[in-house]
Amino acid sequence: MIFDVPIDKVNMKQAVDTVEKFLSEDKLHMVATPNAEIVMMAQKDPEYKDILNKTDLNVPDGSGVIFASKIYKEELPERVAGFDLMMELIKVASAKKYKIYLLGAKSDVVKGAYLNLKRQYSGIDIVGFHDGYFSKYDEAEIINDINEKNTDLLFVALGAPKQEKWIYENRNKLKAKVAIGVGGSFDVIAG
Ligand code: UDP
């Protein structure tokens, strides 16, 4: 626990194993990657703090969180950056044919991320993608699309705290097995 935000003591391998276990269970699991900035945001935003206390896994993203854990004598094993976790999950998903959906970023960015991932991972099964600038009206249709395509792994790149709030708000409608907020990762993948 760092400033009332729980952080799981997992290294990358344990984080990936935990997500794979989530993928074998028939319910939505929420994953967050709190870094120092997110922990600080949560101090000023009780709703955000509450959501971060309800996620199924919070990986220690960032040296700030690791440093704070040392002050608290609660040593965390290693940094598990959100982007790195996404890339590890992409590898596992490609090998095991988990269905991936990309939601977020600008429309050319998410399309670019989709194309780059398809190019790099031959076995990858990306069932759909949508940009992150949608209205409440479009939302129902996007959620339908995610559900109809039997998404296993939903990457949500709306930035923090929007992505965690969006996942939490829609947790009862989403039929994916895992939803994870990945911030600016699509921008990096799109290049
Ligand atoms: N974004 C979005 N919809 C929004 C606001 C942001 O899709 O309403 C996207 C934005 O295009 C970018 C990502 O969310 O791809 C935010 O990245 P940023 O690096 O700001 O997030 P952080 O990693 O700091 O959480």
Side-chain angles (χ1 to χ4, degrees):
M1 200 68 107
I2 314 252
F3 296 114
D4 300 321
V5 175
I7 312 276
D8 291 282
K9 284 183 194 176
V10 289
N11 59 27
M12 180 60 82
K13 166 127 196 351
Q14 291 164 326
V16 171
D17 289 350
T18 305
V19 173
E20 278 214 80
K21 184 179 125 298
F22 291 165
L23 286 165
S24 73
E25 298 167 354
D26 212 7
K27 62 165 228 169
L28 180 79
H29 301 76
M30 300 180 286
V31 179
T33 69
N35 54 22
E37 198 189 339
I38 289 180
V39 172
M40 288 309 136
M41 264 184 220
Q43 304 313 303
K44 296 188 208 131
D45 184 344
E47 184 203 341
Y48 194 32
K49 189 186 272 182
D50 186 53
I51 291 171
L52 292 169
N53 274 272
K54 289 179 172 150
T55 44
D56 299 280
L57 174 69
N58 287 341
V59 304
D61 180 349
S63 47
V65 171
I66 306 277
F67 180 69
S69 79
K70 286 186 177 150
I71 297 175
Y72 281 88
K73 305 221 185 319
E74 251 191 72
E75 199 131 345
L76 294 168
E78 70 177 23
R79 178 176 185 208
V80 182
F83 175 77
D84 297 343
L85 178 60
M86 174 172 176
M87 296 322 288
E88 287 301 316
L89 292 174
I90 291 279
K91 272 189 227 160
V92 172
S94 304
K96 301 205 173 159
K97 302 283 175 210
Y98 293 124
K99 293 179 164 50
I100 295 168
Y101 199 104
L102 307 175
L103 175 63
K106 296 194 178 125
S107 122
D108 56 326
V109 170
V110 68
K111 177 112 194 267
Y114 164 79
L115 292 172
N116 277 348
L117 288 172
K118 290 263 284 181
R119 202 172 299 135
Q120 266 178 281
Y121 300 90
S122 57
I124 199 166
D125 190 8
I126 302 178
V127 292
F129 62 87
H130 197 286
D131 68 76
Y133 297 86
F134 50 82
S135 64
K136 270 275 161 209
Y137 179 77
D138 298 327
E139 192 171 274
E141 222 167 286
I142 296 169
I143 293 174
N144 258 342
D145 193 41
I146 293 167
N147 291 344
E148 270 171 14
K149 288 172 173 165
N150 296 316
T151 302
D152 295 306
L153 189 48
L154 172 63
F155 291 105
V156 184
L158 303 174
K162 198 171 182 182
Q163 57 203 16
E164 286 79 19
K165 288 186 176 180
W166 190 86
I167 293 168
Y168 185 74
E169 257 167 44
N170 294 295
R171 69 196 179 284
N172 295 324
K173 295 182 200 151
L174 288 165
K175 294 206 175 98
K177 311 264 168 54
V178 172
I180 171 169
V182 292
S185 296
F186 296 177
D187 297 78
V188 179
I189 296 167

